[in-house]
């Protein structure tokens, strides 16, 4: 399975975020910085209307991404769409070796892990709304706790532009290392070059 991922993934990064919190600021700037670095990133710009279920195409994009970058923000957990993404990301991490990288934007890792503060209230609301399917809510809680336990980036009081640059540089370095297999040969480059359209999209560091 691992070799299939290395040679067959379509995107470098799947970006999971709460649009109303970060689309026009942090996530928008992060996506632009990833793109400028030549990192092929999937960012969903066309959310369905409230009440619609997450699309199979979006699940497919998660499966086809080498990395999942999850931007936890204050209202992330209030979105069942985001929580469904998160559960799928955890599934891909376990089953396919996807690398998951959490970002804590204006929330602390502890708040996310323990689901305290605004996260606690949102989960109480979900438990009321999904009282006939509490297993689903529990799966969201598990996914959030497990992913929040992964080492990631916490904005804190740092300058946002430098914070973003640090994320992009680390992902770039991680991607460069995945281009090599144990024999030192390039892996999966031919298909990726066709997708990207130009070798100039890649920078080896």
């Amino acid at each position: 399975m691992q070799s299939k991922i290395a040679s067959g993934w379509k995107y470098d990064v799947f970006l999971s975020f709460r649009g109303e919190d970060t689309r026009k600021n942090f996530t928008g700037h992060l996506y632009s910085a990833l793109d400028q670095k030549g990192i092929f990133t999937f960012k969903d710009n066309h959310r369905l209307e409230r009440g619609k279920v997450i699309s199979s195409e979006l699940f497919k994009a998660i499966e086809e991404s080498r990395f999942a970058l999850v931007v936890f923000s204050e209202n992330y957990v209030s979105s069942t769409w985001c929580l469904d993404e998160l559960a799928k990301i955890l599934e891909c991490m376990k089953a396919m070796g996807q690398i998951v990288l959490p970002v804590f934007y204006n929330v602390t890792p502890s708040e996310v892990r323990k689901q305290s503060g605004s996260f606690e209230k949102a989960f109480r609301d979900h438990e009321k709304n999904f009282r006939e399917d509490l297993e689903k809510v529990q799966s969201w809680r598990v996914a959030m706790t497990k992913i929040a336990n992964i080492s990631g980036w916490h904005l804190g009081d740092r300058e946002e532009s430098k914070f973003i640059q640090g994320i992009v540089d680390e992902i770039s370095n991680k991607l460069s290392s995945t281009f090599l297999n144990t024999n030192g040969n390039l892996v999966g480059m031919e298909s990726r070059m066709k997708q990207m359209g130009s070798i100039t999209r890649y920078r080896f560091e």
Side-chain angles (χ1 to χ4, degrees), residues 13 15-17 22-23 25-37 39 41 43 69-71 103 153 160 163-168 171:
V13 173
L15 193 53
S16 179
F17 62 98
T22 68
R23 182 189 298 279
N25 45 65
F26 179 77
T27 297
H29 297 150
L30 175 59
Y31 176 80
S32 295
L34 290 165
D35 184 63
Q36 289 169 11
K37 192 72 171 180
I39 298 171
T41 304
K43 179 170 76 76
L69 189 58
V70 181
V71 181
V103 176
W153 297 273
E160 199 165 292
F163 181 66
I164 287 173
Q165 192 58 53
I167 294 171
V168 172
I171 291 175

Side-chain angles (χ1 to χ4, degrees), residues 17-18 47 75-84 126 140:
F17 62 98
R18 181 69 164 123
R47 298 282 177 176
N75 294 302
Y76 185 94
V77 74
S78 66
S79 167
T80 58
W81 185 294
C82 288
L83 290 169
D84 280 340
H126 291 321
W140 291 338

Side-chain angles (χ1 to χ4, degrees), residues 103-180:
V103 176
F104 302 94
Y105 182 77
N106 290 337
V107 295
T108 67
S110 177
E111 284 178 294
V112 181
R113 281 195 299 269
K114 297 177 181 179
Q115 289 125 45
S116 59
S118 63
F119 291 78
E120 182 181 10
K121 180 183 183 302
F123 267 116
R124 285 203 305 266
D125 291 341
H126 291 321
E127 287 169 350
K128 291 177 182 177
N129 295 331
F130 290 88
R131 54 184 174 273
E132 302 299 325
D133 190 10
L134 290 178
E135 287 186 7
K136 184 178 186 68
V137 179
Q138 182 59 24
S139 72
W140 291 338
R141 285 186 178 274
V142 169
M144 179 157 286
T145 298
K146 287 186 177 296
I147 290 176
N149 277 325
I150 298 171
S151 178
W153 297 273
H154 179 209
L155 175 62
D157 59 359
R158 283 185 282 179
E159 184 179 327
E160 199 165 292
S161 61
K162 292 181 180 178
F163 181 66
I164 287 173
Q165 192 58 53
I167 294 171
V168 172
D169 288 344
E170 185 165 338
I171 291 175
S172 179
N173 290 335
K174 287 179 182 293
L175 281 168
S176 295
S177 68
T178 65
F179 291 153
L180 300 176

Side-chain angles (χ1 to χ4, degrees), residues 1-14 38-42 59-68 92 96-99 171-181 185-196 201-204:
M1 182 66 72
Q2 189 69 26
S3 61
K4 179 180 179 181
I5 298 169
S7 61
W9 35 271
K10 183 176 180 181
Y11 304 101
D12 293 323
V13 173
F14 179 90
I39 298 171
F40 193 22
T41 304
F42 181 95
F59 277 150
K60 190 170 187 292
I62 295 172
E63 293 172 353
E64 294 176 336
S65 299
R66 183 71 183 95
F67 293 83
C92 290
M96 303 166 62
Q98 185 177 73
I99 299 172
I171 291 175
S172 179
N173 290 335
K174 287 179 182 293
L175 281 168
S176 295
S177 68
T178 65
F179 291 153
L180 300 176
N181 66 14
N185 297 317
L186 292 177
V187 175
M189 292 298 292
E190 182 178 356
S191 63
R192 289 174 56 73
M193 289 305 141
K194 290 178 181 178
Q195 293 166 3
M196 301 296 285
R201 294 280 295 182
Y202 290 89
R203 298 172 63 180
F204 295 89

